[in-house]
Amino acid sequence: MMAAARLSFSDITALAPMVRVGTLPMRLLALDYGADVVYCEELIDIKMVQCQRVVNEVLETVDFVAPDDRVMFRTCKREKDRVVFQMGTADPDRALAVARLVEKDVAAIDVNMGCPKEYSTKGGMGAALLSDPDKIEAVSSSTMLEETISLVQRIEKTGVTAIAVHGRFKEERPRHPVHCDYIQAVAQAISIPVIANGGSLDLVKTNSDIEEFRKATGTSSVMLARAAMWNASVFTRQGPLPVEKVMEEYLKYAIRYDNNAFNTKYCLCQMLRDKVESPLGKQVQAAQTNADISEAYGLQDFYQQTLEQLQTRRGALQSSSQPDRPIMDGDVTTMAVKFERREYPPQITPKMFLLEWSRKEKLEQPQYETVQRSQDRAFQSTVTVAEKKYRSSLWEKSKKFAEQAAAIVCLRILGIPEGRIGEEDSGLVCKRKREGRMNGTTEEDVSKKRHVADILHSTETSEPTVVANGDGHKPTTPEKPPESPEQLTL
């Protein structure tokens, strides 16, 4: 284990590393309830070494982002002096590279030499390292890392700060009793702090049990895995709190830090335990997004308020960092423009004006190509008009808003009215369209119907017509008239 001098491993209680559980929301929750140190889930060196360190100003986090845009590890200032980064590795050079990548953002680095599961051992990591003392020494010397039960004296000489011991053999699983006597033997054999792990099954149920486990193992400190996963309030002297309250607080962190919805769902299901088949459990299992999960827990308002706060922060950051003037980005003309719905009448949008202008000029219908950024799930759209491309350099919270922003850029560059409140009537959109619905149909619906009629007419004359679906797909040329107007989209 490599650690800065500021982090002590003596007389602490820690959240143990747990795959799919030790993500940022759970770590922050454990700190709230009194944990001194929190470990992230095991992250594999091969994946981490490919990551880029990205400062996420919207979420106020530091993200380590893989080439496919997945966030492999997310941390924040609140836990900087408390979080231990655990990696799975069997290669000293990669271990050192990963340690250097994350060292500015974590309090310590830990090498997993205890996990008996195949995904770790088949790569020579986890418990497989215990049978290769030379490799242990090489890895420990490179990054000053932790070890488990065997070879502790040899490992201590490499300069590690502490050793966490999970008191089970490689072939044993959590259902087997923990061997407190073995942990005690390790603690007595070395002078650096030893952290006891593995007591959740039958020894640690409440906060008062933590001290008993510490005494039984003769160790300096204790870390908890499943006991904390089931109810993180085990860390507080006032606990345990009702698990319903703990789940709600966890979910708020998951929303605040845009946690992956499936990871959020997994952690909540672990907390539900035998209630996972209850009505609430079934609703959580069926959820596909954090919005769905929020609804299950009655946190829709909190979810919406948080999204609005993040969007406001995103807009402020983008507006302050980018000038409101045209800039060429390759073959695309860009401007820092946001679509503010309140600036337009209820039935009027920039896309509508751009569509009407294109028809007036006898141009092909504008085509929109939209992409989504996985980092924060924001959208950006590019519109093509008269073989020229336009987009906003700012990212929007929805696909529709991104398309409207692209349309605004195009209209402003071309000097065309966009329909904002107070803008002089351009005649592009007639008065009755401005005033709302016509016979119960919106202008957008009318535009679709008119477009369908144009296509049907052209197909009847055997002239192929290009149909742009507006969803970023390539135009298609119908080979025969559609069976019904519903087959066509605008």
Side-chain angles (χ1 to χ4, degrees), residues 235-472:
F235 289 111
T236 181
R237 296 186 184 279
Q238 291 73 39
L241 302 176
V243 71
E244 293 79 11
K245 174 66 174 176
V246 175
M247 287 191 289
E248 182 177 311
E249 294 304 314
Y250 167 82
L251 182 52
K252 287 181 178 180
Y253 272 132
I255 294 169
R256 164 66 181 83
Y257 288 102
D258 193 25
N259 197 51
N260 180 279
F262 291 96
N263 179 254
T264 300
K265 181 164 68 172
Y266 176 84
C267 290
L268 288 170
C269 286
Q270 301 309 306
M271 294 184 221
L272 283 165
R273 301 183 70 186
D274 56 353
K275 295 180 181 179
V276 75
E277 293 301 324
S278 67
L280 174 60
K282 289 180 179 179
Q283 194 173 353
V284 171
Q285 291 183 71
Q288 297 297 307
T289 65
N290 280 331
D292 295 338
I293 302 172
S294 300
E295 184 175 353
Y297 284 86
L299 291 175
Q300 302 98 312
D301 290 345
F302 177 85
Y303 177 81
Q304 190 58 42
Q305 290 168 6
T306 302
L307 286 190
E308 291 172 0
Q309 290 169 1
L310 294 177
Q311 179 63 17
T312 299
R313 187 180 302 156
R314 181 182 297 115
L317 289 168
Q318 293 173 330
S319 297
S320 63
S321 62
Q322 301 189 50
D324 187 15
R325 59 186 178 83
I327 297 175
M328 291 303 299
D329 183 2
D331 63 343
V332 183
T333 302
T334 71
M335 287 179 66
V337 170
K338 290 193 70 64
F339 173 62
E340 299 289 352
R341 189 68 187 89
R342 64 180 180 272
E343 295 181 0
Y344 300 85
Q347 292 78 29
I348 300 298
T349 65
K351 280 184 66 178
M352 183 187 300
F353 268 68
L354 185 56
L355 176 63
E356 295 294 340
W357 179 82
S358 299
R359 286 175 175 162
K360 180 181 177 182
E361 298 297 317
K362 302 187 185 307
L363 299 173
E364 289 187 4
Q365 178 180 325
Q367 297 183 42
Y368 295 85
E369 182 179 356
T370 305
V371 296
Q372 184 177 23
R373 185 168 60 186
S374 63
Q375 177 180 329
D376 57 3
R377 296 181 176 84
F379 294 83
Q380 189 178 60
S381 185
T382 301
V383 62
T384 301
V385 176
E387 300 183 349
K388 292 186 178 180
K389 298 179 179 180
Y390 308 86
R391 72 163 168 256
S392 172
S393 55
L394 308 183
W395 293 73
E396 293 279 3
K397 64 182 179 181
S398 71
K399 178 177 180 289
K400 289 182 179 179
F401 275 35
E403 291 178 348
Q404 297 291 357
I408 293 172
V409 173
C410 179
L411 291 166
R412 291 185 185 178
I413 295 295
L414 297 177
I416 303 167
E418 59 193 72
R420 283 189 295 180
I421 294 172
E423 189 177 80
E424 185 177 349
D425 185 8
S426 64
L428 280 176
V429 178
C430 68
K431 181 179 179 181
R432 63 175 181 170
K433 292 177 182 178
R434 280 181 173 273
E435 291 176 350
R437 297 178 176 272
M438 299 171 295
N439 299 323
T441 306
T442 65
E443 160 60 13
E444 198 166 327
D445 294 334
V446 173
S447 296
K448 291 180 181 180
K449 290 182 178 179
R450 180 192 301 172
H451 190 52
V452 170
D454 291 344
I455 294 169
L456 292 174
H457 175 74
S458 61
T459 52
E460 288 171 359
T461 57
S462 301
E463 295 180 3
T465 302
V466 174
V467 182
N469 61 19
D471 291 326

